[in-house]
């Protein structure tokens, strides 16, 4: 019993879009809060209408997701370089590195980039 041709609906509540937009903005290193995103969204609704504001919010979310992904890649490369320099070995990929951090959080506490990575991407 398959779902051939099934497409996941792209409907998300406005509140969830706002909270995800703020979360990804913070992961990307921006100082944007959920209140900031909500205020801009409501202002855009007043000026351009609900439909255009929703489109703009979705586009902003996608942009912030991409920026957060690039920032995570950049920071993980820094983590790998610092771990290689300090320990002689580097984590192979993000998934195993995150699992290792969950199992043994004190292992890398002397590496500053790992602390930053944990703060932004493991919480």
């Amino acid at each position: 019993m398959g779902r051939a041709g099934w497409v996941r609906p792209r409907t998300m509540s406005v509140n969830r879009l706002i909270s995800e937009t703020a979360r990804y903005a913070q992961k990307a290193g921006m100082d944007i809060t959920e209140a900031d995103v909500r205020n801009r969204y409501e202002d855009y609704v007043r000026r351009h209408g609900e439909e255009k504001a929703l489109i703009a919010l979705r586009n902003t979310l996608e942009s912030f997701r991409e920026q957060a992904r690039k920032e995570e890649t950049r920071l993980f490369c820094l983590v790998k370089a610092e771990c290689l320099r300090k320990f002689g070995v580097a984590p192979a990929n993000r998934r195993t590195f995150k699992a290792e951090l969950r199992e043994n959080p004190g292992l890398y506490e002397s590496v500053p980039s790992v602390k930053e990575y944990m703060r932004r991407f493991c919480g």
Side-chain angles (χ1 to χ4, degrees):
M1 188 185 226
R3 294 197 251 176
W6 184 81
V7 178
R8 184 175 148 223
R10 292 188 46 110
T11 57
M12 220 187 271
S13 74
V14 172
N15 290 333
R16 185 167 174 200
L17 282 170
I18 288 171
S19 65
E20 281 196 20
T21 301
R23 191 182 76 207
Y24 279 107
Q26 290 167 354
K27 283 184 176 185
M30 300 174 195
D31 191 27
I32 296 175
T33 64
E34 199 170 318
D36 296 335
V37 176
R38 183 173 307 284
N39 289 340
R40 287 194 70 166
Y41 172 76
E42 290 170 357
D43 184 47
Y44 210 89
V45 167
R46 279 192 296 278
R47 289 187 296 152
H48 301 285
E50 180 131 12
E51 186 177 335
K52 287 190 178 188
L54 197 54
I55 291 169
L57 184 60
R58 285 190 181 126
N59 289 339
T60 302
L61 174 59
E62 288 305 313
S63 173
F64 287 173
R65 270 190 186 142
E66 181 66 21
Q67 289 176 29
R69 186 189 62 76
K70 287 179 182 177
E71 180 62 17
E72 184 177 9
T73 300
R74 183 196 70 78
L75 194 55
F76 186 70
C77 287
L78 189 64
V79 165
K80 283 174 42 175
E82 284 188 22
C83 287
L84 187 59
R85 190 175 329 114
K86 188 165 186 103
F87 304 119
V89 293
N93 59 49
R94 287 178 232 163
R95 185 173 38 157
T96 57
F97 178 63
K98 286 179 182 179
E100 197 172 319
L101 287 175
R102 278 192 298 272
E103 291 172 7
N104 192 356
L107 183 64
Y108 296 103
E109 66 184 21
S110 63
V111 183
S113 60
V114 172
K115 290 179 184 175
E116 178 68 14
Y117 188 88
M118 286 175 64
R119 184 182 67 78
R120 287 172 59 186
F121 298 106
C122 295

